[in-house]
Amino acid sequence: MTSPSFRPRRSVLYMPGGNARALEKAKTLAVDAVILDLEDSVAPDAKAEARATACAAVTAGGYGGREVVLRVNGLDTPWGKADMAAAVAARPDAILVPKVSSASDVAHAASLAHGIPLWVMIETPLSILNARDIAAAAQSSTMVCFVLGTNDLVKDTRMRTGKERLALLPALSQAVLAARAFGLDCIDGVYNDFRDEAGFAAECEQGVLLGMDGKTLIHPAQVEACNRIFSPSDAEIAAARKVIAAFALPENGSKGVITVDGRMVERLHLAMAERTDAIARAMTA
Ligand code: COA
Ligand code: MG
């Protein structure tokens, strides 16, 4: 298997760190990960209280197999350093660092994280321009994941982006390419209009086409469609297992290229099939 330790990150739900009801509700939702937010969704006057509430929830646990991620404030804000110290004490599965714009921003966060895995927000114009260098910082840090911050990207670039996200596409692809080049996961941005089911599903499907591993969510109503769309379909799993079985036949053991159902299949397709199979197994585990 190519990815025996594959960890699904299809559905990644944000919640304001001070919203105790949401922190509790998240324990009942079929999400792969939760992000307890201390940044954009928390007003300045509520920062200290949200930090205490969120860190207490992390320490208390109860999130089962869900990855628990704490999003701190930017390290150049009045709250960033205290957030990092509280995160280190609470030990979430990962710390999500916002407004990262360079490899040295990753190094700075890593120096404060005491070995806790880092996720980083890709959400500034500079983060897109420096995506390769930021991703390369994975080689000398505990960074494992990019998270697209599309609301901030739109704000800072002044893009006009409608349902098709046309203006955003080059930036999204740049982030995926950089993530893939250095072995990181890449999670798509949020869909703000959480009552628009059809629009949300279409944006999930676009994320799959772009190569995203999953999508960040803002509301429980988005979870089910997100998990479904970011999971391989039954047909994709069956096709992948057919390729694996074909290469496992003794007569194909030394071949580089074979025919399966009238299509050329090479060993690179075997690697893709093994990944699909690993994902399918992880999702039913
Ligand atoms: N995580 C967990 N639970 C959530 C949730 C979330 N993000 N959003 C809503 N819920 C819960 C509510 O607490 C409520 O639970 P209850 O049935 O126990 O009362 C239920 O889901 C229904 O919520 P609803 O009334 O439809 O939404 P709302 O009006 O309370 O909240 C938002 C709407 C947008 C304010 C809220 O969904 C939210 O805060 N989202 C996350 C925002 C965020 O974290 N942004 C930062 C990154 S962009
Ligand atoms: Mg933001």
Side-chain angles (χ1 to χ4, degrees):
M1 289 299 112
T2 45
S3 326
S5 62
F6 174 81
R7 174 140 215 180
R9 293 189 176 119
R10 299 163 298 172
S11 48
V12 179
L13 178 64
Y14 282 106
M15 61 212 66
N19 184 339
R21 199 177 172 104
L23 299 182
E24 202 52 36
K25 176 103 175 172
K27 297 174 184 170
T28 69
L29 301 171
V31 289
D32 291 327
V34 293
I35 300 176
L36 283 46
D37 182 33
L38 305 182
E39 198 219 13
D40 285 338
S41 69
V42 179
D45 289 348
K47 294 286 189 191
E49 199 182 330
R51 181 192 300 134
T53 303
C55 288
V58 172
T59 306
Y63 290 92
R66 299 165 192 84
E67 259 182 304
V68 177
V69 183
L70 191 69
R71 182 165 78 171
V72 296
N73 286 282
L75 299 180
D76 58 353
T77 68
W79 312 284
K81 292 264 164 54
D83 288 351
M84 280 302 260
V88 166
R91 298 209 73 80
D93 294 313
I95 297 171
L96 174 56
V97 185
K99 310 290 184 326
V100 164
S101 285
S102 65
S104 62
D105 287 346
V106 178
H108 182 206
S111 74
L112 301 173
H114 290 258
I116 296 177
L118 294 180
W119 293 16
V120 303
M121 297 296 302
I122 298 297
E123 59 183 347
T124 66
L126 265 180
S127 72
I128 299 300
L129 295 171
N130 293 335
R132 175 193 173 137
D133 288 348
I134 295 170
Q139 296 168 316
S140 54
S141 73
T142 53
M143 181 175 56
V144 294
C145 195
F146 274 2
V147 179
L148 273 298
T150 40
N151 283 329
D152 271 293
L153 261 180
V154 166
K155 166 182 164 277
D156 285 0
T157 56
R158 300 187 207 126
M159 286 173 189
R160 299 293 174 97
T161 177
K163 295 268 180 203
E164 272 91 38
R165 301 199 291 178
L166 285 180
L168 268 171
L169 291 178
L172 298 176
S173 290
Q174 181 86 352
V176 171
L177 282 171
R180 295 290 170 256
F182 293 95
L184 300 171
D185 276 353
C186 192
I187 316 292
D188 205 351
V190 300
Y191 190 79
N192 297 329
D193 190 358
F194 61 84
R195 307 275 180 224
D196 173 9
E197 287 177 29
F200 174 71
E203 197 169 286
C204 286
E205 275 156 18
Q206 185 189 44
V208 171
L209 294 181
L210 287 164
M212 299 287 177
D213 296 291
K215 192 164 179 67
T216 42
L217 310 177
I218 51 167
H219 193 274
Q222 298 179 319
V223 174
E224 194 276 326
C226 183
N227 281 338
R228 177 169 39 80
I229 295 167
F230 279 97
S231 299
S233 68
D234 290 347
E236 285 167 335
I237 295 166
R241 290 183 176 159
K242 216 166 184 178
V243 169
I244 293 168
F247 269 110
L249 291 172
E251 61 267 35
N252 292 333
S254 59
K255 290 188 183 161
V257 58
I258 60 175
T259 303
V260 177
D261 287 343
R263 293 167 61 96
M264 178 192 78
V265 178
E266 298 177 323
R267 287 194 175 263
L268 68 93
H269 299 109
L270 175 61
M272 291 166 71
E274 286 173 342
R275 181 175 157 79
T276 300
D277 182 56
I279 292 171
R281 284 176 199 281
M283 284 167 182
T284 52

